[in-house]
Amino acid sequence: MAAEQGSAVPGVVVAGPPVQRAEEVLTPQALAFVAGLHRAFDGRRRELLTARRARRDGIARTGTLDFRPETASVRAAEWQVAPAPPALTDRRVEITGPTDRKTTVNALNSGARVWLADFEDASAPTWHNVVTGQLNLIDAFEGRIDFTDDRGKAYALKPARELATVVVRPRGWHLDERHLTVDGEPVAGAFVDFGLYFFHNAARLLARAARDPQDPNSGPYFYLPKTESHPEARLWNEVFTHAQAELGIPHGTIRATVLIETVTAAFEMDEILYELRDHAAGLNAGRWDYLFSIVKNFRDAGPAFVLPDRNAVTMASPFMAAYTRLLVRTCHRRGAHAIGGMSAFIPSRTDPEVNAAALAKVRADKEREAGGGFDGSWVAHPDLVPVARACFDAVLGDRPHQKDNPGPAEPVTAADLLDVAGAGGSCTSAGLRNAVQVGIRYLEAWLRGTGAVALFHLMEDTATAEISRSQIWQWIHNGVRLADTGERVTADQVRRLVAEELAALPGQAPGRRQEAAALFEQVALGEEFTEFLTLPALDLLD
């Protein structure tokens, strides 16, 4: 249970379960730095959250979205972002994962060029995970993260030059950190994750670079999630400028890659890069959250925006292909990296048939991205690093990227980006059951503190759980009939599937299945659409 622990910083209160070595992260100086971010920028953050909700309601009501006319001059002008630092010049393979100790070692050793150290979708934000994740990164940079697990397996880092470059993903603007308050208000999770990491590691990383210019961990680099507009990117830029000035770090040292994982951000790629141009490193095609964003924004816009079964929507679907074409063209015009999306398939080391199928799907996905002009892409498992690397090696050769490739020439219009109906596919009973299974099983693990979960040979995270519950909400509210049975999707039908799913898992430890099922029903069957499932879920976490 959370318990107020106080702090030596006026106005700052730390409350949460005890975490071993927390005092190394939650120093008075670090807490004061985070409090400074909150006091300087939280008012603006809250204004932007209000603006995004108002905009989303308008889109849902009208079923329309277009490029902003007031920023046409930014899109038309010729400008570029700052050149990439050496550590972010070659990004052909990136691996993602939470910041627990085992994953930290395995990801850094994976052979990927970049590790997205995730405090967001792949991490359940328990206070333990928030604090120990920061400790693990500090220990990794200090070379003291080697350990032996309960089964006697030893984990040790490779030499520094062989490690992946750490790029930290803090939480999105919408999430508060309940365990840390300033002047009686909860601090944004984004300020906590960014602030603690930057405070403890910016100077440490620059010192590594001074000792060895070829050290891949030579600067503070970030992935920015859930951005919905260029004013939200502008706020991040102001945070970066403030943070660097506060700690005496040269302006432009921070580099950030923005995930284009909302449909509104897809209409503002140029503007987002422009706002961050001194600190921008690239854009990423965050495909799973992008599908969630389509449902969220066009939830009341009629059958033309109803998504079929999740696994039927591929990157070859017209609206997804348009989104990636626009991303590559925008990035390369502006001198930024275009990073492809996640391959969530999980190879099996015991089932050759499953393994062959997973590797074939990953290979096809990465060949498409490399051939389409992307400079790199994501995988979720170390065994997939060589597969992705071979696909990009075949296109890049010895070149670090392909920014000289403008991508496909055909223009991308607003209609192209919104052609959801062109995806084809259908809504099926198997797809509905899978959405229930994934949603409940993922939420049960999340409530226990695990944010990345292997289910049905896929690595699931919060983004895929969001798709699962939001599709069910959309199907019910749009009167969808299942293609294979003709049944109309109803709340009662979903409740029966939830009960069947709970009954199918009697042999497993009880965990928190009942809470997960109740939460899933709340966010999938509620009369009003819940903005993010993590918002009501936070009250159930330690």
Side-chain angles (χ1 to χ4, degrees), residues 172 316 377 402:
S377 189
Q402 53 179 331

Side-chain angles (χ1 to χ4, degrees), residues 361-383:
K361 290 177 179 178
V362 172
R363 189 174 296 109
D365 184 50
K366 300 314 171 191
E367 287 176 348
R368 176 192 53 76
E369 288 181 326
F374 281 95
D375 303 296
S377 189
W378 283 8
V379 296
H381 193 282
D383 287 357

Side-chain angles (χ1 to χ4, degrees), residues 330-342:
T330 302
C331 286
H332 289 180
R333 181 185 177 196
R334 304 308 184 185
H337 280 73
I339 307 299
M342 169 70 78

Side-chain angles (χ1 to χ4, degrees), residues 328-329 332 370-374 395 399 402-408:
V328 169
R329 290 178 59 186
H332 289 180
F374 281 95
V395 172
R399 296 179 300 156
Q402 53 179 331
K403 292 179 184 177
D404 58 339
N405 180 352

